[in-house]
Amino acid sequence: YFNDIKDCQIVNLGITKIFSLKVIFNLVTIARQNRIDIIHTNGQPIDSLGLCISLILKIPLVVTKHCTIDEYLYLGYGFRDRTKRILYWLMDTFSMAFSGKVIAISHVGKNQLQSRYLVPRNRIISIINGINIDNFPAKTYVDHENALVIGFVGRLDMEKGIGDFLKVIKNLVSMGYNICAKIVGGGPG
């Protein structure tokens, strides 16, 4: 995919520990050598790493915030430890406080950025991450002989909802609906 984009270069750092002086030094060197003008990050702990690079090189940082710690807790992604939740909240708050802009992917997310992370309204950009349902009107499915095929396309990680998708399919089948699932994706990771 990235090979189709003109002048797109991928650098594999081969790192296992994100927060180390070696990683920060390597990223600063790469950003300086390639004359990076802006950094975009997409979640912790990378947001904090991006902030370090941004502050060292004095280049703007844009953070996309997909989910709050409370939502991760609700979804069961390992934030039951109070200390870890507080640490990630502090890292989120700090990285967003020093970023130039913060991207919210929903109206709810924008409100949470303002109320929970105290990001000023003028620094939030809303890029709604979803499907405009007006472009895809609902259809009534009445073919009782052939199963309704429901597709899932995405990375096969729990955070992408594959487990929830499979539970819904199982429940619908147990309720007597004539459906089947087709899954397209790679992963995990």
Side-chain angles (χ1 to χ4, degrees):
Y1 172 78
F2 294 104
N3 294 331
D4 296 336
I5 302 172
K6 185 178 184 250
D7 296 329
C8 180
Q9 178 186 6
I10 299 172
V11 178
N12 183 350
L13 297 175
I15 59 175
T16 56
K17 292 183 180 179
I18 292 176
F19 289 112
S20 74
L21 291 177
K22 180 180 179 184
V23 170
I24 293 171
F25 176 78
N26 286 346
L27 288 174
V28 166
T29 301
I30 290 166
R32 193 175 278 141
Q33 287 174 347
N34 290 280
R35 299 181 187 155
I36 302 295
D37 294 313
I38 190 168
I39 297 173
H40 173 252
T41 60
N42 195 354
Q44 286 298 352
I46 301 301
D47 293 345
S48 293
L49 186 59
L51 177 61
C52 292
I53 309 312
S54 171
L55 293 173
I56 291 168
L57 295 178
K58 296 178 177 44
I59 56 178
L61 171 66
V62 175
V63 172
T64 297
K65 188 69 182 144
H66 285 275
C67 204
T68 67
I69 297 301
D70 290 340
E71 291 168 303
Y72 282 120
L73 178 61
Y74 170 76
L75 295 170
Y77 296 140
F79 285 95
R80 298 197 192 296
D81 178 6
R82 181 170 157 54
T83 305
K84 189 173 184 178
R85 283 197 319 268
I86 291 170
L87 175 64
Y88 268 63
W89 179 83
L90 286 170
M91 288 168 47
D92 275 343
T93 301
F94 193 71
S95 57
M96 286 186 278
F98 286 94
S99 67
K101 295 287 183 183
V102 179
I103 299 172
I105 63 165
S106 68
H107 299 299
V108 171
K110 182 176 183 176
N111 292 336
Q112 289 176 345
L113 288 171
Q114 290 174 282
S115 64
R116 294 182 185 173
Y117 296 97
L118 308 176
V119 179
R121 177 183 293 254
N122 66 339
R123 292 201 17 250
I124 301 173
I125 299 170
S126 294
I127 301 176
I128 306 306
N129 185 9
I131 298 171
N132 183 346
I133 60 173
D134 294 335
N135 294 338
F136 302 94
K139 296 179 183 176
T140 304
Y141 183 75
V142 293
D143 183 355
H144 298 288
E145 292 184 26
N146 295 309
L148 173 66
V149 179
I150 301 174
F152 176 97
V153 178
R155 193 174 74 229
L156 304 181
D157 283 341
M158 293 307 289
E159 67 190 28
K160 294 298 182 182
I162 187 66
D164 295 329
F165 175 75
L166 293 172
K167 286 178 191 173
V168 168
I169 296 298
K170 182 178 178 181
N171 288 340
L172 290 171
V173 168
S174 71
M175 293 168 61
Y177 289 96
N178 186 15
I179 62 171
C180 70
K182 299 288 181 173
I183 299 172
V184 178

